[in-house]
Amino acid sequence: MLPKKGKKLHQGGSGGGLELDFGGLIAAALRTELGSNHQTVKTVMRWTGASERTVKHWFAGTHGPRGEHLVALTRHSDEVLRVFLLMADRGPVILTAKLAELRLKLLEVVDHIDGQR
């Protein structure tokens, strides 16, 4: 169950445990992948349809994106997707997705090599 107030997500089943700063982790993911200048704010605005003020809050880590914005961010940002899956304790999903992506790239390389003969 989510607390009625605050910005921290409690993780670890019943009895408390680890606290995750959702807004801060999303902000770090955005800054890692995109940097933090005015152009990146505009890019995220285009991705999500959110206002400039809202996106600036995300980059500052004071607020996190709501559902539909989070979906749009994960559609465009591998780093936001990775952080989201880690927060959800779904780290192995990341490895599976990376392996599938790597397999496709390897197949492209093999096709390219075979085309060079």
Side-chain angles (χ1 to χ4, degrees):
M1 179 176 329
L2 294 174
K4 295 202 183 269
K5 293 185 179 183
K7 298 177 197 154
K8 306 274 187 194
L9 291 177
H10 300 280
Q11 183 179 4
S14 60
L18 183 62
E19 283 189 4
L20 298 174
D21 178 11
F22 177 72
L25 291 170
I26 296 296
L30 288 170
R31 287 191 303 267
T32 296
E33 186 160 344
L34 301 172
S36 57
N37 59 44
H38 190 69
Q39 187 58 40
T40 59
V41 170
K42 295 287 188 187
T43 298
V44 173
M45 288 171 59
R46 277 193 309 277
W47 288 353
T48 62
S51 71
E52 183 174 2
R53 182 177 179 183
T54 298
V55 173
K56 285 182 177 182
H57 283 299
W58 297 343
F59 273 92
T62 57
H63 297 81
R66 64 182 195 210
E68 61 269 22
H69 291 144
L70 182 60
V71 169
L73 286 173
T74 59
R75 185 177 298 130
H76 294 280
S77 169
D78 289 339
E79 188 63 20
V80 171
L81 176 60
R82 186 186 72 77
V83 166
F84 177 74
L85 290 172
L86 288 173
M87 284 189 285
D89 250 353
R90 300 296 303 259
V93 174
I94 297 168
L95 179 58
T96 302
K98 289 289 183 186
L99 287 174
E101 182 180 327
L102 180 59
R103 182 179 184 278
L104 288 174
K105 287 182 181 183
L106 286 172
L107 288 172
E108 289 175 10
V109 170
V110 168
D111 286 343
H112 181 71
I113 291 170
D114 288 346
Q116 296 294 320
R117 291 184 191 183

